[in-house]
Amino acid sequence: MPFECRGCWHVWEEEYLVRRIDDRHGHETEVWTRHGVAVPPPSPGAICPHCGCEQATTFPAGYLARHPELIPPAEPVGPDPTPLLSPVPKRLYR
């Protein structure tokens, strides 16, 4: 499930496994797990792993797959090796 922090605009995704089970009383219930541990269902207000803000919003499942431009690069982008040229002409005389 994709999230976006409203504080620093960091975008991240967390994977959950949802199991629908019968509660022995004829009602179907959902159990959300993450890494094999039962957890509460994700909701807006998740904690941002980047800045710690508790104001995150969720996107529909599969949203980031359709919008890859929102996924931050795995490694920081290095500086452009192209030399910078000044638009100001050099002085002819000192």
Side-chain angles (χ1 to χ4, degrees):
M1 176 166 289
F3 293 88
E4 181 180 51
C5 177
R6 291 185 178 176
C8 68
W9 303 109
H10 176 69
V11 175
W12 75 98
E13 194 162 18
E14 295 180 3
E15 290 189 27
Y16 294 88
L17 177 64
V18 182
R19 294 185 182 194
R20 290 175 177 83
I21 58 172
D22 182 20
D23 68 358
R24 296 185 188 178
H25 299 284
H27 301 100
E28 190 176 276
T29 185
E30 292 182 342
V31 176
W32 290 72
T33 60
R34 187 153 195 257
H35 304 294
V37 177
V39 294
S43 63
I47 297 173
C48 174
H50 189 254
C51 73
C53 179
E54 295 183 16
Q55 297 294 318
T57 187
T58 59
F59 296 108
Y63 184 85
L64 290 180
R66 293 187 306 273
H67 298 278
E69 71 278 4
L70 296 176
I71 301 172
E75 297 179 12
V77 178
D80 185 355
T82 307
L84 297 176
L85 301 174
S86 173
V88 178
K90 288 185 177 182
R91 291 174 48 184
L92 297 175
Y93 303 103
R94 290 189 183 230

